[in-house]
Amino acid sequence: MGFFWTIVVLVVVLGFAWRFLGSYMAAVFDGRVHFLGWLERPVYWALGTGPDHEQTWKRYAVSMIVYSGVAIGVAYLIMRIQGHLPLDPQHLGGVPQALSFNTAVSFVTNTNWQNYGGETTMSYFSQIGALTVQQFASCAVGVAVAIALVRGFARRNSPTIGNFWVDVTRFTIYVLVPVSFVAGIILVSQGAVQTLAGPATIHDALNGVTQTIARGPAAFMGSIMQFGTNGGGFFNVDLAHPLENPTGLTNLLYIVLTLSIPVALTYTFGKMVGSIRQGTALLAAMTIIFGVWVGFTSYAEHQPNPAVAAAGVANTHVGNTEGKEVRFGDTSSALFNVSMTQTSDGAVDSAGDSYNPMGGFGLLTGMMLGEVTPGGTGSGLYTILVYAIVAVFIGGLMIGRTPEYLGKKIQAKEVKLAGLAALVMPLTVLVLTGIAVSVHAGQAGPLNKGPHRFTEILYAFTSQGNNNGSAFAGLNSNTDFYNIVGAIDMLLGRFGIMIPVLALGGSLAAKQVVPPSAGTFRTDNGMFVGLTIGVILIIGGLTFFPAASLGPIVEQLSHGKFF
Amino acid sequence: MATTATPPPPQQTPAQPHGVARSRGLFEREILSRALPEAFLKLDPRVQVRNPVMFVVLVGTVVTLIESITSPGVFDWSITAWLLLTVIFANFAEALAEGRGKAQADTLRRMRADTEARRLRPDGTEERVGAATLAQGDLVVCEAGDLVPSDGEIVEGVASVDESAITGESAPVIRESGGDRSAVTGGTKVLSDRIVVRITAEQGQTFLDRMIGLVEGANRQRTPNEIALTILLAVLTIVFLPVVVVLEPFGRYAGASVSVVVLVSLLVCLIPTTIGALLSAIGIAGMDRMVQRNVLAMSGRAVEAAGDVQTLLLDKTGTITLGNRMASSFTPVQGVDERDLADAAQLASLADETPEGRSVVVLAKERFGIRERALDGGHEFVPFSAITRMSGLDVGSRQIRKGAADSVKRWVAEQGGSLPEDLDPAVERISRAGSTPLVVADGKRILGVIELKDVVKTGIREKFDEMRSMGIRTVMITGDNPLTAAAIAQEAGVDDFLAEATPETKMELIKAEQQGGKLVAMTGDGTNDAPALAQADVGVAMNTGTTAAKEAGNMVDLDSNPTKLIDVVEIGKQLLITRGALTTFSIANDIAKYFAIIPALFVATYPQLGALNIMGLHSPQSAVLSAVIFNALVIVALIPLALRGVRFRAAGSASILRRNVFIYGVGGIIVPFLGIKLIDLFLVAVHWY
Amino acid sequence: MNLRVLWSALRLVLVSVVVLGLGYNLLMVGIGEAVFPGQANGSLVHYHGRVIGSKLIGQEFTSARFFEGRPSATSPTPYNAESSAASNYGPTNPALLQEIRANLARVLKQNPGIKASQVPPDLVESSASGLDPDISPRAAYLQAPRVARANHLPVGTVRALVASHVVGRFAGLYGAPHVNVLELNLALLKLDASQP
């Protein structure tokens, strides 16, 4: 019953976020919110731009890429020279080249894949100045790209799709800063640590053991990393760490923060294109898949770990607790990890590697579906719109009309761009996994044996290619091979989709709108929801079924066999 | 357009298609025997490369062939053979679709067999030359029994012409110089009288030549939706390429050795071969279906656009109403005897050869026994013009006119005449009843009103209801005044009407609709329709119309039946639906194929994966072969569907979608499970395995 | 490429580092120190004026007198709060089976009279952070007889102590019932001190 109420609370809170954050974000992007104008205007002045400087999709894309490139450079530099910067009480010294590169790319691409243990590698300055900053920025960039695409649908005969700098600035100032501030304070009140005082060393504990407790500004990072679906925490074990995720409430708050923007963006979408129902349809598709995956994975984790069963601990009241924290419990841990793999968040509050085979399957496949349910901040919306375009195209043909979505004709150019965007992720993930399992440097990574070692590698590339950052942590990926190949995976998975998406936005914005009629393919009813779900499941399923069958599926079918 | 520019009564839509498009069975032996060798000739890689899906199959076949040669085995050879058959089946489907067009083209070609032409020299004498030597601008003479040597325009004379060779309609039509019925088509036969024709077409560019080119699909270009779909299919092909290729390293990492032949089989099964194989056949067949209904589409693009049409502009006359309005009553104004009115009306109509004009003459005769009379000199007919909108005659000092109420009133007023008080009420009453009032005036004196009754075609209302359910708005175009138009519009059930239409207002309407993002279809025949036909997204010109109209439109209706526009829309939709349905079917098929091949691929390494063999297939090899055979056979099984098109029923988008998703989506998931299992059982039964 | 774009990007990144990174974080640290100093600094626990640990960070209790926490996979020693870690053993990894068997044997040895089937899995499976400060109520009750014996307390008293330390679901809505091991042991100490 406890889990039932958890779900109820989640649904109610997210319902509010959907309605109010959704319409608020539409107002922000339409330039109808001004209360922090004193913060907004100096930024425009510094950048020499403003809301009136509309950009074509190409300008928009160039701005986005240059900004991301510079961000990678600055983050890389900070990590490399952190030993010469302030706020390094543990004297950790500079971060190695390959690791710095991987990490810089990881945070700028909203992936937050971490090939390092936070508390043992990154100085406070790096955590704050290189990583937390990008947790704001990468989220804002993702949402900006999504909004640019939405404008493509909302506008007609327009050569431009907005201004990148303005979109990023507005979103950061009006959405990210206020919410992460409030959430951060709640987190601190619950016990999340927020200090620059360095580790606490405790002598003479009750049983005479000395313990050094790593601390840091973790609460604030936790709040923005979740709200921005980044997921890269302060500590090695991420949000399983009691000092960053101290209670059941913070665990729930983290889930709410993560799902808020992706869920609410469907409302923003509906509002901007002039029909909330259009956004609701997308939300319905997201919710159905999400719900099924939560149910499936929670059920799988509510079963005992095969090893526990084999050892004779036949306790069926508690599920798999290996790699889980007692305060969260099995089902809520599964809910948390599913929430993070179906967004681009990737935070964990329990060790995915130790999930039961079908539990791990639930996490892995959540990412393989392209992270659209509800997906990352911005990336969830624009990716599901890509899938929706494919659904509209096939469905539209089946009613005998040149397919159109929101009155915009889906023609060769749109199919090409949507196809490209849908193609990039599976292509990248599969090819890079294929390379990794073929070369010695890649084969050296996994900790486990048998099908599970394959799952670990597949999971790593799936996670990075989807800019998720969730890890089946048994993979030793802090090697030059995994750092560099992983960075390529993340870059392709991010910009390989964003650029065609922006081109799509530009192409749609320039189009005329076909007025709806009884012969129009409806994109706001159950049939469309079903078709979109079908496209998501079929594209994800068909591309990854063989790979998954060699990993978690065969593991599950092994019935207690150990490798 | 009110009175004289009415097109001749349309031939009723024949129950049986005919003409060029003589219906052919799907698998007539002649066509089949022609298609078979074609299927092999099309194996040429230069042909295949145009179709990315089938090209991948061909490359895969070569790979398995090499494998079969280097390490021979029954299994490898069987797979190679079936992969090759897959490509051949695809070629066969295309050849079959083309073959039907070619057969039609042959019929047309026979007609074009060298004709002799009687060319007029500048001095007026004739010379006999081969039709092939005729140049644009030449004048030729045709008399009863002659074949018209090339396309042209009658500059002199009037003749009845048998156009059955082109339209299939045996009733001869009248062609005469001047006006909108002056065009003659090469290959048609003059039945009576003598005409002089100025050749308007270059050799090789005649209507007949273009028709042959069209039905043959000689310069068939991909249509926009076909291109978009081809891209989607290419994307699906590209995505499955790495899916399959990486199974080799994945398998190796798991300790399995994966056979290249099986991988190629899996790839071919996963890429959308069903739709890839049938895509071009569907397109050709769509054009063909147009031809079967005697509509010549100048491009596949036009056929596709027809499916997208949201606004149909339909000429009232001939489309919504039976073409011939009949005079049904005379309403004299106060102080005029009805008989005088009838007499004047008859006089004014004597030279009016339109059915309406004739009906006035007939009504006057029936009512008052006024006979048609020959006028003895001293008179002059005043023909109808679009500007005056009146016609009549001047005889002696009398100027008798009949025409649209406004025009006649203005004309009378210009001469200082006065308008009787009861004129307007009479005009209005007739208009409101949906009839057309023609006002008759004698000089500055108005005599009264002729009521021309319009007869709305039976069954047309239901057609419009269908259109509405498909989301298509019908707009009736008429030269009538708004009152008349409104009454008929209501009776016929159209959504809107454009009254007192002129070519300009018609053009404006089309532009306004297009500005709003809608696609517009219209029919037209006259030269003054040409700009609007060109502007419309789908312009169907009547074959009886002028050359200008036919040049401007992107379709020609050989039957000259404006109601055909509705058929055109349905064919366009059916074409797209067939593509969408087979795409869905093709993708849905993949699920079963996975369950056949994946366990077969890895069961040696992981016996646990045998659990995925839910079809209980006999052995890994039989499973793979069964999937490949199914994949090939399903192409053949669907050829009839591709050529005929999926069943189309006018309905709202939601119900069409639901039906197609159920049949081709859900069906596409289930059918291959059954098919593969059956093939596997068969292979075991014949001891192949 | 347009150089202006490059400069704009650089300016925005640097402004972000200063404002969103340093400035905003310091503000949060300040607010934390001012409003929730205990929580912001790691929920440290004092006993007789000494800091004896963090409420949120598990410790390794090996003495039979104390309730024991969960197995920890941190290295080099269990409950190393400088380097959080999980075992990351996959469910079909024989090493996991081996470890669970060893943990089980230890639990059974320490708590005589308990059958393997009664042991709650959290006592034999390691946590996600390696620092889990909690155990399930069942795991606490299971240890009660042993702890009572070692402390010469009636089992009922210890059970009652456990019962008073069970933290239920948050407002009945979220999380799982658990017992904080450090707090339970501290209470035990206080109980001992108050006993004659």
Side-chain angles (χ1 to χ4, degrees), chain B residues 284-309:
Chain B
I284 298 166
M287 294 282 278
D288 194 56
R289 277 199 295 282
M290 285 282 188
V291 176
Q292 283 182 39
R293 299 207 199 177
N294 274 358
V295 177
L296 280 191
M298 296 303 163
S299 69
R301 182 185 284 262
V303 179
E304 231 173 46
D308 288 350
V309 162

Side-chain angles (χ1 to χ4, degrees), chain A residues 476-518:
Chain A
N476 172 24
S477 46
N478 186 13
T479 62
D480 285 353
F481 174 80
Y482 277 107
N483 275 325
I484 288 164
V485 178
I488 293 169
D489 198 10
M490 293 186 274
L491 288 171
L492 287 174
R494 174 86 163 174
F495 301 109
I497 297 176
M498 276 187 165
I499 293 168
V501 160
L502 285 175
L504 203 52
S507 164
L508 291 172
K511 279 181 191 268
Q512 168 72 281
V513 172
V514 182
S517 73

Side-chain angles (χ1 to χ4, degrees), chain B residues 289-439:
Chain B
R289 277 199 295 282
M290 285 282 188
V291 176
Q292 283 182 39
R293 299 207 199 177
N294 274 358
V295 177
L296 280 191
M298 296 303 163
S299 69
R301 182 185 284 262
V303 179
E304 231 173 46
D308 288 350
V309 162
Q310 280 175 304
T311 305
L312 277 187
L313 304 190
L314 298 164
D315 278 330
K316 183 195 75 178
T317 314
T319 309
I320 295 170
T321 60
L322 293 170
N324 31 359
R325 286 179 295 192
M326 307 293 286
S328 61
S329 71
F330 296 110
T331 309
V333 294
Q334 221 165 10
V336 177
D337 186 38
E338 192 177 346
R339 192 190 159 90
D340 292 344
L341 171 62
D343 183 60
Q346 194 187 51
L347 274 175
S349 306
L350 280 179
D352 186 350
E353 284 299 326
T354 65
E356 292 156 10
R358 305 305 314 160
S359 76
V360 174
V361 175
V362 169
L363 184 70
K365 191 164 82 182
E366 279 174 4
R367 284 284 173 82
F368 304 102
I370 306 171
R371 317 198 116 248
E372 247 181 276
R373 56 216 122 153
L375 289 162
D376 43 339
H379 66 273
E380 196 186 338
F381 288 115
V382 179
F384 176 85
S385 86
I387 300 157
T388 61
R389 291 158 57 88
M390 293 185 304
S391 64
L393 87 169
D394 299 342
V395 52
S397 59
R398 289 177 78 189
Q399 287 184 302
I400 303 173
R401 294 288 185 277
K402 74 170 202 287
D406 289 350
S407 315
V408 176
K409 275 153 69 177
R410 198 180 317 117
W411 182 70
V412 167
E414 274 165 12
Q415 300 176 82
S418 63
L419 301 177
E421 276 172 19
D422 55 346
L423 175 65
D424 281 347
V427 164
E428 201 160 307
R429 181 183 53 75
I430 291 169
S431 295
R432 202 166 281 145
S435 299
T436 308
L438 283 185
V439 176

Side-chain angles (χ1 to χ4, degrees), chain A residues 237-243 245 323 325 327-328 348-351, chain C residues 128-129:
Chain A
V237 294
D238 208 359
L239 289 182
H241 200 290
L243 284 181
N245 191 2
E325 301 279 296
R327 62 189 179 284
F328 307 140
V348 290
D349 77 347
S350 47
Chain C
S129 61

Side-chain angles (χ1 to χ4, degrees), chain A residues 505-549:
Chain A
S507 164
L508 291 172
K511 279 181 191 268
Q512 168 72 281
V513 172
V514 182
S517 73
T520 305
F521 176 75
R522 295 280 299 263
T523 53
D524 59 355
N525 60 9
M527 196 68 207
F528 172 72
V529 172
L531 269 183
T532 306
I533 292 175
V535 167
I536 294 169
L537 293 183
I538 281 189
I539 291 186
L542 292 183
T543 47
F544 287 110
F545 180 76
S549 70

Side-chain angles (χ1 to χ4, degrees), chain A residues 6 119 128 177 181 188 194 207 211 215 236 242 248 308 315 321-327 354 448 555 563, chain C residues 11 21 24 39-41 56 58 60 70 82 84 87 89-90 92-94 119 125-126 129 132 138 173-174 176:
Chain A
T6 302
E119 63 268 48
I128 295 171
V177 165
F181 177 76
V188 173
Q194 174 73 12
N207 49 358
Q211 201 180 25
R215 300 184 296 183
N236 183 37
V308 172
N315 198 315
T321 55
E322 176 69 26
K324 293 199 181 61
E325 301 279 296
V326 170
R327 62 189 179 284
S354 299
N448 290 282
E555 213 181 345
F563 294 89
Chain C
R11 263 174 287 192
Y24 200 10
Q39 289 96 318
N41 285 301
L56 294 173
E60 193 184 21
R70 302 182 58 189
E82 276 186 297
S84 53
S87 77
Y89 286 144
T92 54
N93 192 334
V119 175
E125 292 183 307
S126 56
S129 61
D132 196 341
R138 287 167 52 85
L173 297 176
Y174 201 78

Side-chain angles (χ1 to χ4, degrees), chain B residues 339-602:
Chain B
R339 192 190 159 90
D340 292 344
L341 171 62
D343 183 60
Q346 194 187 51
L347 274 175
S349 306
L350 280 179
D352 186 350
E353 284 299 326
T354 65
E356 292 156 10
R358 305 305 314 160
S359 76
V360 174
V361 175
V362 169
L363 184 70
K365 191 164 82 182
E366 279 174 4
R367 284 284 173 82
F368 304 102
I370 306 171
R371 317 198 116 248
E372 247 181 276
R373 56 216 122 153
L375 289 162
D376 43 339
H379 66 273
E380 196 186 338
F381 288 115
V382 179
F384 176 85
S385 86
I387 300 157
T388 61
R389 291 158 57 88
M390 293 185 304
S391 64
L393 87 169
D394 299 342
V395 52
S397 59
R398 289 177 78 189
Q399 287 184 302
I400 303 173
R401 294 288 185 277
K402 74 170 202 287
D406 289 350
S407 315
V408 176
K409 275 153 69 177
R410 198 180 317 117
W411 182 70
V412 167
E414 274 165 12
Q415 300 176 82
S418 63
L419 301 177
E421 276 172 19
D422 55 346
L423 175 65
D424 281 347
V427 164
E428 201 160 307
R429 181 183 53 75
I430 291 169
S431 295
R432 202 166 281 145
S435 299
T436 308
L438 283 185
V439 176
V440 180
D442 185 351
K444 54 185 182 177
R445 181 163 162 255
I446 286 185
L447 299 175
V449 191
I450 313 171
E451 178 179 5
L452 287 179
K453 209 169 166 62
D454 246 317
V455 187
V456 172
K457 284 186 177 175
T458 49
I460 199 81
R461 200 184 174 91
E462 289 69 27
K463 273 281 176 198
F464 292 144
D465 288 344
E466 276 181 18
M467 290 291 121
R468 199 169 302 110
S469 73
M470 290 192 281
I472 298 169
R473 207 165 71 94
T474 44
V475 181
M476 181 181 84
I477 306 290
T478 172
D480 295 341
N481 63 60
L483 279 174
T484 314
I488 295 174
Q490 212 200 342
E491 190 183 342
V494 290
D495 297 314
D496 203 355
F497 62 87
L498 178 67
E500 288 171 351
T502 62
E504 290 75 30
T505 55
K506 207 163 162 180
M507 188 74 166
E508 272 165 32
L509 176 67
I510 293 174
K511 283 184 174 163
E513 291 286 315
Q514 288 174 334
Q515 212 91 60
K518 292 181 177 168
L519 259 60
V520 182
M522 67 167 283
T523 56
D525 55 359
T527 301
N528 54 13
D529 284 333
L533 278 172
Q535 177 71 29
D537 301 281
V538 176
V540 182
M542 299 295 105
N543 192 43
T544 51
T546 58
T547 313
K550 286 199 260 184
E551 294 283 343
N554 45 17
M555 291 189 196
V556 175
D557 179 12
L558 301 175
D559 291 341
S560 302
N561 171 7
T563 320
K564 204 73 86 49
L565 200 47
I566 295 168
D567 294 352
V568 167
V569 168
E570 290 190 353
I571 293 172
K573 285 192 178 296
Q574 195 187 25
L575 174 66
L576 294 189
I577 293 176
T578 307
R579 285 193 197 132
L582 289 185
T583 305
T584 309
F585 184 81
S586 200
I587 299 170
N589 271 205
D590 282 3
I591 296 168
K593 293 170 186 165
Y594 261 140
F595 279 99
I597 297 182
I598 291 294
L601 202 50
F602 296 117

Side-chain angles (χ1 to χ4, degrees), chain A residues 104-383:
Chain A
V105 168
S106 171
F107 279 74
V108 171
T109 56
N110 199 256
T111 312
N112 288 217
W113 174 265
Q114 295 167 297
N115 275 338
Y116 59 90
E119 63 268 48
T120 55
T121 315
M122 295 292 165
S123 76
Y124 292 165
F125 194 97
S126 292
Q127 294 268 26
I128 295 171
L131 307 186
T132 311
V133 167
Q134 285 315 315
Q135 295 184 327
F136 279 99
S138 66
C139 163
V141 168
V143 175
V145 170
I147 293 299
L149 176 61
V150 173
R151 289 200 186 105
F153 283 107
R155 294 181 177 184
R156 57 174 74 185
N157 302 330
S158 164
T160 59
I161 53 172
N163 179 303
F164 172 76
W165 309 106
V166 172
D167 288 342
V168 166
T169 306
R170 278 192 179 146
F171 189 70
T172 307
I173 290 179
Y174 290 113
V175 181
L176 292 180
V177 165
V179 176
S180 62
F181 177 76
V182 174
I185 291 189
I186 298 174
L187 290 170
V188 173
S189 78
Q190 285 289 303
V193 67
Q194 174 73 12
T195 177
L196 296 173
T201 304
I202 292 141
H203 302 286
D204 201 12
L206 291 183
N207 49 358
V209 176
T210 299
Q211 201 180 25
T212 304
I213 299 173
R215 300 184 296 183
F220 182 61
M221 192 170 188
S223 109
I224 184 58
M225 87 186 206
Q226 293 305 95
F227 193 48
T229 68
N230 295 284
F234 192 88
F235 300 103
N236 183 37
V237 294
D238 208 359
L239 289 182
H241 200 290
L243 284 181
E244 203 166 6
N245 191 2
T247 64
L249 176 70
T250 55
N251 205 39
L252 178 60
L253 178 62
Y254 280 133
I255 295 177
V256 167
L257 282 173
T258 305
L259 297 175
S260 290
I261 293 178
V263 162
L265 273 176
T266 61
Y267 190 96
T268 311
F269 166 72
K271 184 116 182 153
M272 287 177 82
V273 301
S275 162
I276 303 299
R277 277 180 65 96
Q278 296 287 346
T280 315
L282 295 182
L283 181 68
M286 292 171 167
T287 309
I288 290 168
I289 294 183
F290 182 78
V292 169
W293 254 251
V294 166
F296 175 82
T297 313
S298 302
Y299 176 79
E301 285 312 291
H302 199 52
Q303 310 307 310
N305 188 306
V308 172
V313 187
N315 198 315
T316 52
H317 296 290
V318 187
N320 180 10
T321 55
E322 176 69 26
K324 293 199 181 61
E325 301 279 296
V326 170
R327 62 189 179 284
F328 307 140
D330 49 27
T331 47
S332 291
S333 291
L335 168 67
F336 185 97
N337 277 14
V338 168
S339 302
M340 303 311 150
T341 45
Q342 305 236 335
T343 57
S344 79
D345 191 285
V348 290
D349 77 347
S350 47
D353 219 347
S354 299
Y355 269 39
N356 287 330
M358 281 298 103
F361 177 80
L363 304 183
L364 179 62
T365 49
M367 298 186 289
M368 285 170 169
L369 297 184
E371 285 173 4
V372 291
T373 56
T377 45
S379 64
L381 180 64
Y382 65 64
T383 313

